[in-house]
Amino acid sequence: MRNRKIIVSIIICILLTLSISGCWNRRELNTFSILMGMGIDKAEEVGKVQLTAQIINVSELKQGGSSNKEAYLAVRSTGDTVFDALRNFTKESNRKIYLPHNKVLILGEDIATEGVQKYIDFFVRDHEMRLRESVLVAKGKAEEILNVKSELEKIPAAGISSLLKSQNATSEATDVDMKDFISRLMSKTTAPIAPLIEISGEEEKKVLRISGMAIFKQDKWVGELEGSKARGILWVIDKIESGIIVVDCPNEEGKMSLEIIRASSKITPELKGDKVSIKVEIKEEGHIGDQECPCELKSHDISSIEKMKTTVIRAEVISALEKARELNTDIFGFGDSVHQKYPKQWKDIESSWDEVFPEIEVEIVVDAKVRRSGILIMPASS
Amino acid sequence: MFNFLSKKLRSWQQQNQNINKENKENDNSKKTKENSQAKLSSNLKENLDSIKAILGVCEDLIIREFAFGNKGQISAAIIFIDGMVDRTLINDNIIKPLMYDNRFICEEESLEIKNIDIIKGTILYVGEIEKSTTINDLVESCLSGDTILLIEKAKEALVISSRGWETRGVVDPETETIVRGPREGFTENLRTNTTLLRRKIKSPDFMLEAMKIGRKTNTAISIAYLKGVANPEVIEEAKRRLKRIDTDGILESGYIEGFIEDAPLSIFSTIGNSEKPDTVAGKILEGRVAVLVDGTPFVLTFPMVFIEGFQSAEDYYSRPYYASLVRVIRFIAFAISILAPSSYVAATTFHQELIPTPLLFTVAASSEGTPFPAVVEVLAMGVIFEILREAGIRLPRPVGQAISIVGALVIGESAVSAGLIGGIVVIVIALTAVASFVVPAQTDSGAILRVILVILAGSMGGVGIMVGLIGILIHLASLRSFGTPYLSPLAPLSPFDLKDVFFRVPIWAMLTRPKSIVRQNIQRQKFILKPTPPPEKKDKGGSK
Amino acid sequence: MKIEKGVISSSQLTFMIIGFLQASNLLLVFSSRIVNHDSWLAILVGLVISIPIALSYAALAKEFSGKTLIQISDIIYGAYLGKMISVSYILIFLLTFSIDLRLFSDFLITYIMPETPIWAILTLLTFLSAWAVRGGIEVIARCSFIIIAMASIIILSTFVFLLSDMEFSNFLPVFDLPLKDFIQGTHINVSLYYLEIIIFLMIMAFVNKTEQVRGSMLWGLILGGVSLLILEVRNVAVLGIVSNILTSPSFNAVRYISVAEVFTRLEMFVVIMLITTVFLKVSIMYYATVLGLAQTLHLRSYLPLVTPIGIITISLCIISGDSSMELLHGGMYIWPVFILPIQLFPVLSLFIVKLRKKSKKLGANEE
Amino acid sequence: MKMIILLAMVFLIILIIEAPKLIVNKYWKELIVFLSLLSLAFILTVLVILGVDIPSPLEGIEYLIDDILDLSWERK
């Protein structure tokens, strides 16, 4: 029984000391503002960073918050480093910025061309940040991107986030989260990629558009791939979710669109002497989604469609590959695959990868299949 | 420093001495009581006077003097307390035969002792009659509802059992209502209660041991257990603890619980109680010991383990799958009831990153503009809820409904629309309130835990909650109930007993009694009792 | 005069060892920093190496059944040498105890409550453990099952939730590091995770069936090692190369969970798992320290030592390192080297005992 | 200063709680050990609070392993 008395008194002691020292880390919901999107640009002053933060105006999100104010605020601040700039927000805003709900990190064009390493460290190091946030590169200033209103979403950053997700439908760009980005950044050979976002449309009707993938060399933005070229990367790195491949009708005039249902790829490196060759095997399955020509397709037609599809896919991969060779950046992770297969020889190759990469022979094996024809056996027009 | 210590010590010693003195005094008074156990004299008048002297002149003490015998030559008196006796029994079965039966012809010089035996043996139509010689005995039995027959010239008196007072019938118990299962509940009458149990367990092994506790109330209690199953050590320990009780009164089984439980300062009760005979019978069959107390329908059972609060009698009457589902839901509800408010506080004031973004917007929007921090909101709402609950229970039914309307309106609507508290807080508290009633055995401890956890969450966030939970775990792990670890069968783990914790296996698979409670006669049923279809008959021409 | 009246079962010993090893989730960063994506291999090899040593601990405990490590060294090495050895054991226990506590507080401060002063967290955790230690070995043992059940559920469910994000090519190429690094990583694994169970030599004395100690030790070690393996595989498969630069890969891996955008933000579970298992580990160490000290000084009760030792530990935690980087360096390069001889010492003791017995037997035969 | 007074109070409470039990049971040896450990703890905590640079035991170990024995993994 004495034991209990002791325990009770110790509890009282501890509670007392706790109450004396106050509560740390306590922040009520209405003392900070939730950040949804963040953009980094170079400030006009030399050597300074400009942050654009999109924060939530919570009272406008409340049901019945009927005033015509926006549900978000875009605020701006500059500082010597990213963290410095972040803290400088409090000079203008009465609420501290709360990071963990950040959805997108937009790197401005000037930042990206200069090298992102020094700007991105904070977003990985800070305990409030998560590795799931999407990384994008803006054509132009990140600030401008964050100022474009979204038609369907109350908050533009959420709009960008869902815009990225919807890229699955074409697979011409893919969502790259922080973990993917920095693991590519950390790799000695593989170069980071990130979706590229730009503003299109006129003054009053500005809309955002994902235009392709930005290609980095180390941490610098060196080039971009658009449309089907961007899909070329995704074929190789196995990020294809869906999409449309347009081919000509086998015998007649007209076009067909083939929907990609599932795709997978495999990179097999081979080392002969000093020569590195890579075999990329792509397997694809799809349906006929749309057919302009009015003829019924026979089974040999199907195989010719498949052949055409193969050619299209191969062409897309080759165009991406050429771009990569031209920029001499290993966006496909060929280096890592060689490393994984030939760890011993890798040490010799690693140092001269920049010379090796453009010379690599790449064999592309595409196995494309057309499985079903939708709910029609033949077109209605005949 | 040392002065202080020695002072403290001295005061302790003094206290101890005082206590010892008191005890001695008590002993002395007992002894004088025993010494004053005067014997009956042969004079009726004298006897009556001495009884009157002890009982005083009370309005409910009735002394009926009369005479009987063929010539009315024997004067006698009946003493009883009105209201505690069966009047018809006294009139028809005691007075009537004595006065009516004329066969009682007595010689002038007849011996008084013989009379008593004849009366006891041949005249009275009553089941239970005892002889007594001391006045104290007579007074005691009179006070417990017996009738005393005093006869002139007899040095003995008859104590005729005539107890009979208004009792509540056996009705549906209010605290443990069920859908399927027996509807009867214990009553305030000890005899009825033992009967209810005896009717369920008709075995010679079922033992009932009587005891009287309370210097002033003389409350009768019974210890019920199954001989050969219940752990003898537990029975011995229970008797030892019960005998230790030296108090003036026992009014309810809660008094007994307070005197004999293992952890008197814990917020968890280490002795179970039930109002349902089938529940208690089930526990006795599992090897537990029950203590029935006269004057209350609540029967104590022990050893109690933590998970007992999550088991309901109905679990065993319904099908195992549903019973298991309900079991799991009870655990979830208990977790919600103690964790929901503190989690809300921790999530909204410390770990906003754990709330999914859309939900965070809702929560933030609802708490935008409220004047108080989340801890205060939650604590205040919790207190208001407890007040409403208490008021609802205590007030008469019609007023109670008014209370709930006021509560719902004031708290549910006005406070939110006035912007005093966030709407989410109301939802959290309401959910907590509903969940806390799912496990009745832990409702009271849950309320306290809730408050502690909210305070911890308000000061340290999720870490505070975890610290609180680990503290609770340590406390639970250190508790014992009559030698059984409170957390068993989880800790220490006895895999066999898990059959009745998070899920309930079919009845035919419940082969053993809980090992943590029972040490002997573990197996409770035959091994293969799983119902199977009868073997197919092998005559082939059966279809004809 | 027995100082601890409690008795635990052999299965409880197993649970305690599993929980003890699961708490090492916190320390995984020491070896994975060096062996990178091959840390699973280092964990496996470390486990295999530790098993015979752990078995020799069990053999020593069986040889002196009912005696703790302190009493054993008193018996083997006599009063003076034995006392010295006992004191060094106790100091080591105290140091490991305080370093573990410190690392965990650092973790909490880094990830959850950066503004909280370290002494507040230390006081709270030490208080909790002191409470459990005061309850005796039985209370700690009873807590162990519930804690490891919860921790195992968390380990397995996070593994399942992350399956879709795992990329097993992250483990390729296998054994892609200099042998020296691999040996160092394995060494860290062995002496920082597995052989810390030397502390159980203080506890095995209270197991009710001495003959089962060996089995429960083995099972505890294997299951604990497997849970570490699962954790490490999960972290590397999900985070890949990034896991090498994080202070807590586990926390970040679980933070990465996003199943159908519903099961997200589950990192609290890692904290729950760590806080409970570290509590268990710290309580066991605390208990061993206090009991060891009481037995060395031949006290009749260890309870009066609990509070002072707790406060000394808190101060030790605060002074043991100025920064978490310093602790990381010590854990990677210094501490394993320092502690290994002490961990191997019981093996030597066993050897001496066996030798003595043999010579006695021989002597008896000659006579 | 405030912290030291607070600390002294905490230690006093601990003393008041623990010591009488030992005295009543006549556990003199335990009392001596308890008091000496408690005073050690008090000195340590006061030093920590005052910010006196106490050499960390780990630094000593590092010195022993690294500089005297030259066994650190870093060197090899």
Side-chain angles (χ1 to χ4, degrees):
Chain A
M1 293 315 88
R2 301 270 313 125
N3 251 348
R4 293 242 164 65
K5 260 186 199 165
I6 294 165
I7 289 163
V8 169
S9 38
I10 296 177
I11 290 177
I12 291 167
C13 286
I14 289 201
L15 283 182
L16 274 179
T17 43
L18 281 182
S19 58
I20 287 168
S21 326
C23 316
W24 307 276
N25 285 92
R26 238 196 72 208
R27 40 186 182 210
E28 292 290 329
L29 276 170
N30 45 22
T31 59
F32 57 80
S33 40
I34 305 160
L35 175 79
M36 284 294 280
M38 174 82 89
I40 317 176
D41 289 303
K42 269 189 178 176
E44 274 153 29
E45 274 178 86
V46 180
K48 287 210 169 188
V49 186
Q50 175 191 310
L51 288 189
T52 314
Q54 196 165 82
I55 56 178
I56 304 307
N57 187 0
V58 166
S59 45
E60 285 309 312
L61 276 178
K62 218 174 187 175
Q63 278 184 337
S66 55
S67 60
N68 288 326
K69 279 187 186 166
E70 291 294 338
Y72 71 95
L73 295 169
V75 288
R76 200 164 57 150
S77 116
T78 53
D80 290 328
T81 61
V82 172
F83 202 14
D84 184 37
L86 190 74
R87 281 293 155 92
N88 283 342
F89 275 121
T90 45
K91 284 182 182 164
E92 288 163 25
S93 155
N94 57 340
R95 293 184 176 190
K96 224 169 136 183
I97 301 255
Y98 187 63
L99 301 169
H101 288 270
N102 190 15
K103 289 260 185 278
V104 291
L105 175 65
I106 302 174
L107 306 166
E109 190 172 352
D110 39 5
I111 293 282
T113 42
E114 188 200 331
V116 294
Q117 165 64 42
K118 60 180 176 182
Y119 301 104
I120 221 167
D121 182 81
F122 169 76
F123 294 94
V124 191
R125 189 182 297 274
D126 193 80
H127 75 283
E128 286 190 351
M129 302 306 292
R130 325 188 129 246
L131 294 172
R132 270 278 180 199
E133 60 187 341
S134 307
V135 180
L136 295 103
V137 174
K139 253 188 191 170
K141 285 218 145 201
E143 185 193 353
E144 284 159 18
I145 302 280
L146 280 173
N147 280 334
V148 176
K149 279 180 206 166
S150 170
E151 289 289 316
L152 295 173
E153 300 276 342
K154 279 185 176 169
I155 301 143
I160 296 173
S161 178
S162 46
L163 182 67
L164 277 172
K165 299 227 164 61
S166 67
Q167 295 307 308
N168 284 344
T170 56
S171 287
E172 287 179 359
T174 183
D175 186 10
V176 173
D177 66 20
M178 188 56 103
K179 186 209 80 180
D180 296 338
F181 192 81
I182 56 173
S183 55
R184 277 168 167 263
L185 199 61
M186 278 177 73
S187 164
K188 291 203 177 72
T189 55
T190 311
I193 49 173
L196 200 61
I197 191 163
E198 65 177 14
I199 301 171
S200 66
E202 294 300 308
E203 268 305 302
E204 281 308 302
K205 282 240 168 183
K206 276 187 192 167
V207 279
L208 291 176
R209 178 167 170 273
I210 302 280
S211 63
M213 298 297 284
I215 299 174
F216 285 72
K217 168 99 180 162
Q218 309 291 5
D219 64 339
K220 292 185 184 64
W221 178 26
V222 289
E224 63 195 77
L225 288 173
E226 286 184 356
S228 61
K229 280 188 191 172
R231 191 152 72 190
I233 314 176
L234 305 191
W235 281 117
V236 182
I237 61 172
D238 199 4
K239 291 269 182 185
I240 295 282
E241 299 277 339
S242 177
I244 305 297
I245 296 171
V246 180
V247 295
D248 290 331
C249 275
N251 301 319
E252 298 171 44
E253 286 285 303
K255 284 179 178 168
M256 300 180 73
S257 28
L258 305 170
E259 190 188 357
I260 307 164
I261 296 299
R262 63 182 67 84
S264 65
S265 74
K266 197 178 152 203
I267 301 170
T268 328
E270 202 160 329
L271 203 63
K272 277 182 193 150
D274 278 349
K275 244 179 136 37
V276 183
S277 63
I278 303 274
K279 187 173 168 195
V280 179
E281 286 165 275
I282 297 168
K283 276 190 183 148
E284 190 267 354
E285 271 179 50
H287 302 337
I288 298 171
D290 174 11
Q291 178 182 341
E292 286 181 359
C293 50
C295 64
E296 188 184 346
L297 294 173
K298 306 268 159 36
S299 66
H300 60 87
D301 295 332
I302 295 298
S303 64
S304 68
I305 293 171
E306 283 172 353
K307 224 171 255 167
M308 279 188 276
K309 190 152 98 170
T310 306
T311 325
V312 172
I313 293 172
R314 188 195 300 271
E316 283 177 354
V317 173
I318 286 173
S319 63
L321 195 64
E322 270 166 5
K323 183 80 178 175
R325 276 185 181 143
E326 181 196 322
L327 297 169
N328 196 4
T329 96
D330 180 5
I331 43 177
F332 306 103
F334 289 161
D336 281 342
S337 66
V338 175
H339 181 191
Q340 285 168 4
K341 198 173 174 193
Y342 302 101
K344 278 180 195 142
Q345 291 90 324
W346 173 245
K347 283 186 196 91
D348 308 327
I349 307 170
E350 191 185 345
S351 52
S352 59
W353 184 250
D354 272 357
E355 285 93 70
V356 175
F357 179 73
E359 307 301 319
I360 292 177
E361 263 180 45
V362 181
E363 185 190 350
I364 302 162
V365 181
V366 182
D367 177 18
K369 292 266 186 272
V370 175
R371 296 286 187 203
R372 274 161 277 271
S373 60
I375 60 172
L376 294 182
I377 298 167
M378 57 183 298
S381 59
S382 58
Chain B
M1 181 77 226
F2 274 99
N3 255 346
F4 176 81
L5 281 182
S6 58
K7 251 189 215 167
K8 204 175 169 190
L9 275 181
R10 222 174 292 147
S11 70
W12 270 359
Q13 279 167 359
Q14 257 174 5
Q15 270 179 5
N16 280 338
Q17 277 169 2
N18 284 345
I19 290 167
N20 284 340
K21 238 191 230 166
E22 268 176 36
N23 283 345
K24 263 178 203 162
E25 275 167 16
N26 279 340
D27 285 351
N28 284 343
S29 65
K30 246 188 191 170
K31 263 174 204 162
T32 49
K33 215 175 170 186
E34 274 161 23
N35 285 342
S36 74
Q37 280 198 335
K39 300 268 181 210
L40 283 171
S41 73
S42 54
N43 189 335
L44 176 65
K45 199 88 190 149
E46 246 174 59
N47 288 338
L48 284 177
D49 284 345
S50 48
I51 290 177
K52 271 184 197 162
I54 296 174
L55 286 175
V57 193
C58 294
E59 55 168 341
D60 58 347
L61 178 73
I62 291 177
I63 301 177
R64 160 84 156 87
E65 289 179 72
F66 61 100
F68 63 101
N70 53 349
K71 290 169 195 158
Q73 72 276 52
I74 308 170
S75 54
I78 279 178
I79 308 170
F80 59 89
I81 291 178
D82 195 19
M84 292 189 70
V85 294
D86 190 349
R87 289 292 280 267
T88 46
L89 181 131
I90 291 175
N91 291 344
D92 292 357
N93 298 5
I94 301 175
I95 301 179
K96 195 171 166 192
L98 280 173
M99 295 174 74
Y100 187 73
D101 201 334
N102 270 338
R103 118 187 101 100
F104 194 75
I105 300 164
C106 190
E107 308 292 321
E108 286 294 316
E109 66 276 10
S110 62
L111 293 168
E112 54 273 13
I113 300 164
K114 212 177 165 190
N115 279 348
I116 288 276
D117 282 336
I118 291 169
I119 291 169
K120 186 186 169 196
T122 61
I123 294 177
L124 296 180
Y125 310 161
V126 184
E128 192 187 336
I129 303 178
E130 271 171 27
K131 282 196 289 187
S132 181
T133 56
T134 60
I135 290 183
N136 251 47
D137 272 2
L138 293 181
V139 170
E140 231 169 66
S141 38
C142 179
L143 286 175
S144 52
D146 291 340
T147 306
I148 295 162
L149 177 61
L150 284 169
I151 297 167
E152 176 74 41
K153 282 185 189 160
K155 279 192 172 174
E156 290 172 307
L158 288 183
V159 178
I160 304 158
S161 170
S162 60
R163 291 177 204 189
W165 51 78
E166 290 301 313
T167 55
R168 201 164 56 95
V170 175
V171 291
D172 207 359
E174 272 195 16
T175 54
E176 296 161 71
T177 43
I178 53 167
V179 178
R180 178 174 175 176
R183 296 265 181 274
E184 57 192 7
F186 285 122
T187 66
E188 281 75 9
N189 186 342
L190 179 66
R191 199 46 63 212
T192 318
N193 292 352
T194 53
T195 320
L196 285 170
L197 278 181
R198 177 72 80 182
R199 270 186 9 220
K200 296 235 184 289
I201 309 172
K202 300 180 196 78
S203 156
D205 287 340
F206 178 58
M207 306 298 280
L208 279 166
E209 291 185 25
M211 210 182 251
K212 284 216 160 141
I213 300 180
R215 269 185 269 136
K216 297 278 186 266
T217 56
N218 265 320
T219 314
I221 65 163
S222 287
I223 309 169
Y225 59 91
L226 211 54
K227 200 169 78 183
V229 174
N231 189 354
E233 285 166 28
V234 172
I235 301 167
E236 277 313 303
E237 180 63 25
K239 281 185 200 160
R240 201 182 60 73
R241 289 185 194 178
L242 284 171
K243 278 187 191 130
R244 236 189 83 243
I245 302 173
D246 185 11
T247 178
D248 59 343
I250 299 290
L251 295 181
E252 211 268 345
S253 53
Y255 281 47
I256 302 270
E257 187 182 338
F259 280 118
I260 66 170
E261 65 188 338
D262 288 62
L265 294 179
S266 170
I267 55 170
F268 295 96
S269 76
T270 47
I271 289 178
N273 62 61
S274 176
E275 216 185 337
K276 284 173 60 61
D278 52 331
T279 310
V280 174
K283 294 203 164 154
I284 288 174
L285 285 175
E286 279 189 343
R288 290 190 175 86
V289 178
V291 169
L292 295 85
V293 180
D294 194 22
T296 175
F298 287 93
V299 173
L300 304 178
T301 54
F302 50 84
M304 188 211 187
V305 293
F306 184 63
I307 51 145
E308 245 177 274
F310 298 87
Q311 298 166 337
S312 143
E314 212 173 343
D315 290 355
Y316 304 95
Y317 309 145
S318 47
R319 297 187 57 73
Y321 302 106
Y322 180 66
S324 307
L325 175 71
V326 172
R327 219 17 104 71
V328 172
I329 284 174
R330 276 190 210 121
F331 279 100
I332 294 171
F334 182 65
I336 289 176
S337 79
I338 66 169
L339 282 176
S342 46
S343 306
Y344 173 78
V345 170
T348 52
T349 52
F350 285 88
H351 311 296
Q352 292 89 354
E353 74 264 24
L354 296 181
I355 311 174
T357 315
L359 184 61
L360 180 69
F361 292 159
T362 321
V363 176
S366 89
S367 67
E368 187 73 34
T370 54
F372 304 114
V375 199
V376 176
E377 274 181 37
V378 167
L379 277 179
M381 286 298 292
V383 169
I384 289 170
F385 162 68
E386 293 292 334
I387 290 171
L388 282 174
R389 185 169 74 111
E390 195 60 20
I393 295 172
R394 304 291 163 230
L395 286 172
R397 288 270 156 87
V399 191
Q401 280 179 0
I403 285 288
S404 55
I405 292 167
V406 169
L409 275 181
V410 169
I411 292 163
E413 284 296 319
S414 319
V416 177
S417 56
L420 273 178
I421 49 167
I424 310 273
V425 178
V426 177
I427 296 173
V428 168
I429 294 292
L431 181 69
T432 310
V434 174
S436 72
F437 292 118
V438 175
V439 185
Q442 301 292 353
T443 305
D444 46 352
S445 60
I448 297 167
L449 293 181
R450 197 147 62 221
V451 176
I452 294 175
L453 287 177
V454 167
I455 292 171
L456 277 171
S459 57
M460 294 287 279
V463 176
I465 297 179
M466 277 320 289
V467 165
L469 287 181
I470 292 177
I472 293 166
L473 178 65
I474 298 171
H475 177 63
L476 284 175
S478 62
L479 283 183
R480 278 170 177 275
S481 169
F482 286 82
T484 302
Y486 197 51
L487 276 183
S488 67
L490 285 176
L493 180 71
S494 51
F496 253 99
D497 294 350
L498 290 180
K499 63 183 183 294
D500 198 16
V501 179
F502 297 111
F503 46 88
R504 176 183 77 75
V505 298
I507 290 294
W508 44 263
M510 288 211 179
L511 296 176
T512 56
R513 301 190 161 91
K515 277 183 183 160
S516 44
I517 292 165
V518 184
R519 305 251 153 24
Q520 46 185 349
N521 255 324
I522 286 235
Q523 190 155 354
R524 69 188 300 179
Q525 61 198 19
K526 253 172 79 179
F527 183 57
I528 307 164
L529 284 180
K530 184 184 175 186
T532 46
E536 266 178 53
K537 282 179 187 168
K538 294 229 167 156
D539 49 344
K540 281 170 187 168
S543 57
K544 276 184 186 175
Chain C
M1 174 93 204
K2 229 181 164 187
I3 200 164
E4 165 71 59
K5 292 181 197 77
V7 171
I8 58 172
S9 68
S10 53
S11 63
Q12 280 177 329
L13 181 68
T14 315
F15 297 145
M16 280 159 88
I17 296 176
I18 296 173
F20 197 81
L21 290 177
Q22 280 173 344
S24 301
N25 181 6
L26 188 67
L27 312 173
L28 278 178
V29 65
F30 287 125
S31 72
S32 63
R33 181 77 196 85
I34 291 162
V35 285
N36 295 343
H37 64 264
D38 283 321
S39 47
W40 65 274
L41 204 62
I43 285 175
L44 214 57
V45 174
L47 177 61
V48 173
I49 293 174
S50 327
I51 284 174
I53 303 173
L55 287 182
S56 71
Y57 292 171
L60 192 67
K62 203 179 164 189
E63 200 73 39
F64 298 90
S65 98
K67 297 269 189 298
T68 64
L69 184 59
I70 303 295
Q71 291 165 319
I72 292 171
S73 52
D74 263 9
I75 294 170
I76 298 179
Y77 301 104
Y80 294 99
L81 192 59
K83 278 277 173 303
M84 272 171 62
I85 293 165
S86 306
V87 169
S88 54
Y89 276 137
I90 291 162
L91 285 179
I92 295 298
F93 292 164
L94 192 64
L95 274 180
T96 356
F97 166 33
S98 58
I99 291 173
D100 273 14
L101 206 56
R102 166 68 191 253
L103 285 171
F104 181 62
S105 318
D106 273 349
F107 166 80
L108 279 187
I109 289 175
T110 312
Y111 282 95
I112 307 185
M113 23 201 6
E115 284 141 46
T116 315
I118 190 162
W119 62 264
I121 291 175
L122 286 172
T123 315
L124 217 62
L125 289 173
T126 317
F127 162 68
L128 266 188
S129 315
W131 189 0
V133 169
R134 274 182 169 278
I137 189 66
E138 283 195 333
V139 169
I140 303 175
R142 278 184 215 150
C143 291
S144 66
F145 172 68
I146 292 170
I147 287 175
I148 72 136
M150 206 158 69
S152 309
I153 290 170
I154 290 173
I155 291 174
L156 291 178
S157 56
T158 49
F159 190 85
V160 170
F161 282 148
L162 280 168
L163 266 179
S164 60
D165 289 311
M166 287 188 190
E167 241 177 81
F168 287 94
S169 66
N170 285 336
F171 293 105
L172 291 173
V174 178
F175 208 85
D176 176 43
L177 74 175
L179 189 64
K180 185 219 129 193
D181 279 359
F182 185 73
I183 293 172
Q184 183 189 353
T186 316
H187 176 193
I188 292 172
N189 278 326
V190 167
S191 52
L192 247 46
Y193 320 150
Y194 296 116
L195 288 193
E196 281 205 340
I197 59 166
I198 186 178
I199 226 146
F200 283 89
L201 274 171
M202 297 295 298
I203 285 160
M204 283 184 228
F206 311 120
V207 177
N208 54 4
K209 288 173 189 153
T210 328
E211 64 273 14
Q212 288 176 358
V213 163
R214 197 184 143 93
S216 53
M217 193 94 176
L218 199 63
W219 275 113
L221 200 65
I222 290 174
L223 290 176
V226 166
S227 19
L228 283 183
L229 193 66
I230 293 173
L231 283 168
E232 187 62 37
V233 165
R234 179 194 75 192
N235 296 347
V236 174
V238 172
L239 297 173
I241 195 166
V242 183
S243 75
N244 302 341
I245 57 166
L246 296 169
T247 48
S248 174
S250 287
F251 190 83
N252 282 290
V254 173
R255 213 177 212 189
Y256 198 70
I257 290 179
S258 171
V259 179
E261 311 244 333
V262 179
F263 287 107
T264 53
R265 302 174 185 266
L266 300 180
E267 59 254 37
M268 206 58 196
F269 285 104
V270 177
V271 181
I272 291 173
M273 184 209 144
L274 272 176
I275 207 169
T276 48
T277 51
V278 166
F279 155 74
L280 186 67
K281 183 174 183 177
V282 161
S283 307
I284 292 168
M285 287 174 158
Y286 198 163
Y287 178 81
T289 313
V290 172
L291 185 74
L293 194 57
Q295 283 187 334
T296 316
L297 299 173
H298 295 289
L299 304 184
R300 279 165 289 183
S301 158
Y302 66 86
L303 291 181
L305 304 183
V306 174
T307 334
I309 292 281
I311 299 169
I312 290 175
T313 313
I314 295 174
S315 332
L316 266 184
C317 287
I318 295 174
I319 64 174
S320 63
D322 290 335
S323 62
S324 60
M325 288 79 85
E326 205 173 286
L327 287 172
L328 185 69
H329 176 263
M332 273 158 54
Y333 299 109
I334 310 291
W335 189 250
V337 183
F338 174 66
I339 203 168
L340 190 65
I342 292 144
Q343 285 167 337
L344 291 178
F345 200 74
V347 184
L348 181 70
S349 303
L350 182 71
F351 193 63
I352 292 173
V353 170
K354 291 272 177 197
L355 219 62
R356 259 190 219 164
K357 250 191 181 171
K358 217 168 195 181
S359 65
K360 231 182 217 171
K361 233 184 208 170
L362 278 176
N365 285 348
E366 275 165 20
E367 280 167 22
Chain D
M1 204 56 214
K2 200 173 77 186
M3 283 302 280
I4 291 176
I5 293 170
L6 206 73
L7 194 75
M9 268 169 62
V10 170
F11 274 84
L12 212 64
I13 291 167
I14 292 169
L15 200 66
I16 291 168
I17 290 165
E18 298 259 4
K21 203 171 44 179
L22 297 174
I23 297 171
V24 168
N25 291 334
K26 300 206 169 61
Y27 276 24
W28 301 121
K29 200 175 164 188
E30 285 77 2
L31 186 69
I32 294 165
V33 176
F34 169 71
L35 287 177
S36 46
L37 277 177
L38 200 66
S39 37
L40 177 66
F42 185 69
I43 293 167
L44 262 178
T45 31
V46 166
L47 288 181
V48 167
I49 286 174
L50 290 178
V52 177
D53 201 14
I54 312 161
S56 151
L58 295 186
E59 273 168 34
I61 291 167
E62 185 161 352
Y63 182 70
L64 173 78
I65 298 290
D66 206 354
D67 298 341
I68 300 181
L69 299 175
D70 197 22
L71 282 174
S72 164
W73 274 109
E74 215 172 0
R75 296 279 163 90
K76 276 187 229 166

